[in-house]
Amino acid sequence: MGHQVIIFDFSLIRGLWETRVKKNKERQRKEKERLEKSSLEKIKQEWNFILECRKKGIPQSKYLKNGFVDTDEKILDTYGKNPQLQRRHALSEEANKEKNKFIFHLSGEQWTEFPDSLKEQIYLKEWHVYNTLIQTIPAYIALFQDLRVLELSKNQISHLPVEIGFLKNLKVLNVSFNNLKSIPPELGDCENLEKLDLSGNMEITELPFELSNLKQVTVVDVSANKFHSIPICVLRMSNLQWLDISSNNLKDLPEDIDRLDQLQTLLLQKNKLTYLPRSLVNMPKLSLLIVSGDDLVEIPTALCESTTGLKFVSLKDSPVETIVCEDTEEIIESKRDREQFEKEFMKAYIEDLKERDLTPSYTTKVLLSLQL
């Protein structure tokens, strides 16, 4: 009994496949041409060219012609062969290598605790740890007496150790977007601290009075937490220039807020404020004030008519839809992500405002929203 043999005409299949390959290559070619002609690609090329020029120490006047970038490769060649610039570049690289010996970097979700070898590197001047699953800061941090910068953003840290008070030379502390609920009073012993960032922890409600000792602090960011009022210790930071307490539960501002006579920037948007105190007018250096205008029913006229160059911005927040989810942690994460995005947006927006000398003193209906 014979067997049935199924015969395929592979020439037909091959023909179909070759046709598809040709179409795909044609699509890729057109997309490549589109990107090459697009302004985005041109901007990317110009930016890479500028970076290369800066690396080689080429002055801006050499690659800017009437305000436009001149991507002439000869500029790179000419300066690349300059012995003096080559020596300067080599010295710069050597200096960077020397500097990096004192800087500790750590990132990635594979890290759940600090490496054991860290405790032996007490000469370090900077820690930069981000996007890890680390929950605790080791007590041996007290040994790092030369530490100047402690950047611990976007981790899972749940508390700061009391030993942090031993860091007398610390200038920058950034523990934003972690899981902190309180701050130890011992932080007030870091008398040389200049910048304090506690934003995005979502649960901090108060700061210890001992932080009043931080007289060198110029920047405080406690946005995206649960403050019902500006902490008393903050009002006693006599050198404070930047205060971001947006995205909290503020219902009013203290009448003596004008004691912050060095304050230049005050961010109050996304709170529950219904009025602004007249004492804001008495702050001589206040140059940027941002609020959310939906709940405000009383604003001092003098703020809008300020002759001191104050830029008063009232943002209109768009309503955020409630996220229905069985997993509570997922909701919390979406809130953090939203706050992070809005923070980056506001940073860019403020930089733009500062550069515009002729901006109106009062601006409304700036839409700020993110749907996740």
Side-chain angles (χ1 to χ4, degrees):
M1 188 174 176
H3 295 281
Q4 289 186 340
V5 179
I6 300 174
I7 301 174
F8 290 99
D9 189 348
F10 284 100
S11 62
L12 290 175
I13 297 175
R14 181 181 176 184
L16 288 171
W17 182 251
E18 287 178 347
T19 302
R20 288 183 181 179
V21 170
K22 285 180 182 178
K23 285 183 178 180
N24 187 51
K25 285 184 177 180
E26 183 65 18
R27 278 197 298 269
Q28 289 177 343
R29 184 184 64 79
K30 288 182 177 179
E31 180 64 15
K32 184 179 179 181
E33 288 178 356
R34 185 187 69 79
L35 287 174
E36 288 174 351
K37 293 178 181 179
S38 71
S39 57
L40 188 64
E41 184 66 19
K42 181 172 175 57
I43 291 171
K44 183 180 177 182
Q45 289 174 356
E46 289 181 353
W47 180 244
N48 288 334
F49 183 80
I50 291 172
L51 287 178
E52 191 63 29
C53 287
R54 288 179 179 176
K55 283 180 182 177
K56 293 191 174 184
I58 301 174
Q60 195 179 68
S61 58
K62 294 295 180 182
Y63 59 80
L64 280 185
K65 304 295 181 184
N66 298 321
F68 293 95
V69 179
D70 179 17
T71 54
D72 185 357
E73 295 296 336
K74 291 180 181 178
I75 297 173
L76 294 176
D77 293 340
T78 303
Y79 276 80
K81 295 173 183 177
N82 188 319
Q84 187 176 355
L85 283 171
Q86 286 178 345
R87 282 197 301 272
R88 191 186 305 169
H89 186 63
L91 287 172
S92 177
E93 283 190 343
E94 192 64 32
N96 286 334
K97 285 180 182 178
E98 188 65 25
K99 182 182 176 183
N100 286 334
K101 290 180 182 178
F102 300 95
I103 300 176
F104 172 67
H105 289 276
L106 189 70
S107 66
E109 294 186 353
Q110 71 272 23
W111 294 102
T112 57
E113 57 185 20
F114 288 94
D116 290 336
S117 59
L118 180 61
K119 66 179 69 173
E120 300 168 5
Q121 304 176 53
I122 59 174
Y123 55 85
L124 290 172
K125 293 183 178 180
E126 297 183 18
W127 286 16
H128 296 272
V129 181
Y130 56 94
N131 285 331
T132 73
L133 298 180
I134 292 174
Q135 297 182 20
T136 58
I137 301 172
Y140 62 70
I141 194 172
L143 301 174
F144 290 75
Q145 291 297 298
D146 289 330
L147 204 60
R148 304 289 197 277
V149 176
L150 190 54
E151 292 266 4
L152 304 172
S153 182
K154 302 175 190 174
N155 297 291
Q156 301 295 320
I157 297 168
S158 57
H159 73 279
L160 296 178
V162 297
E163 288 80 6
I164 200 167
F166 288 99
L167 305 179
K168 303 298 182 182
N169 292 308
L170 191 66
K171 291 182 179 295
V172 176
L173 175 61
N174 181 352
V175 280
S176 61
F177 295 94
N178 279 281
N179 297 323
L180 297 176
K181 294 185 179 180
S182 62
I183 303 300
E186 287 77 8
L187 182 60
D189 295 331
C190 299
E191 53 195 27
N192 288 304
L193 196 66
E194 296 176 0
K195 180 180 178 181
L196 176 61
D197 191 344
L198 304 171
S199 62
N201 281 283
M202 314 299 285
E203 297 292 333
I204 303 176
T205 59
E206 188 53 90
L207 295 180
F209 183 78
E210 286 78 2
L211 268 59
S212 302
N213 298 328
L214 304 178
K215 302 301 183 184
Q216 303 301 317
V217 169
T218 59
V219 176
V220 170
D221 189 342
V222 290
S223 59
N225 280 291
K226 290 186 177 179
F227 288 93
H228 291 277
S229 61
I230 296 179
I232 295 174
C233 63
V234 172
L235 294 173
R236 283 165 170 72
M237 294 176 180
S238 55
N239 210 29
L240 193 62
Q241 298 174 20
W242 174 295
L243 174 58
D244 187 350
I245 194 167
S246 59
S247 298
N248 276 280
N249 296 324
L250 298 188
K251 293 184 179 179
D252 54 34
L253 297 179
E255 290 295 334
D256 61 343
I257 192 172
D258 55 354
R259 67 187 300 159
L260 296 173
D261 55 4
Q262 299 300 310
L263 197 65
Q264 299 173 16
T265 301
L266 179 56
L267 309 183
L268 298 168
Q269 71 274 13
K270 294 186 70 179
N271 277 291
K272 299 178 181 179
L273 297 171
T274 56
Y275 75 95
L276 297 177
R278 184 172 176 77
S279 53
L280 287 169
V281 181
N282 303 326
M283 303 174 72
K285 296 192 176 181
L286 189 62
S287 57
L288 179 61
L289 172 61
I290 299 183
V291 298
S292 289
D294 292 356
D295 297 323
L296 285 172
V297 295
E298 185 179 340
I299 301 174
T301 307
L303 277 179
C304 304
E305 300 175 351
S306 173
T307 57
T308 61
L310 171 66
K311 295 175 183 177
F312 175 48
V313 181
S314 179
L315 299 178
K316 181 176 177 60
D317 294 326
S318 62
V320 179
E321 296 180 5
T322 304
I323 302 173
V324 180
C325 180
E326 294 179 1
D327 190 347
T328 308
E329 289 186 4
E330 195 169 330
I331 297 176
I332 293 173
E333 276 305 308
S334 65
K335 286 181 181 177
R336 288 184 193 277
D337 291 343
R338 187 182 300 115
E339 291 294 347
Q340 244 176 293
F341 174 85
E342 292 184 359
K343 199 164 187 61
E344 290 299 318
F345 174 89
M346 284 305 301
K347 184 179 178 182
Y349 179 66
I350 290 170
E351 287 300 317
D352 181 60
L353 276 181
K354 286 182 177 179
E355 291 174 5
R356 286 188 286 162
D357 294 332
L358 301 177
T359 187
S361 62
Y362 184 76
T363 307
T364 59
K365 295 184 179 178
V366 177
L367 188 64
L368 179 60
S369 66
L370 172 65
Q371 185 174 352
L372 295 175

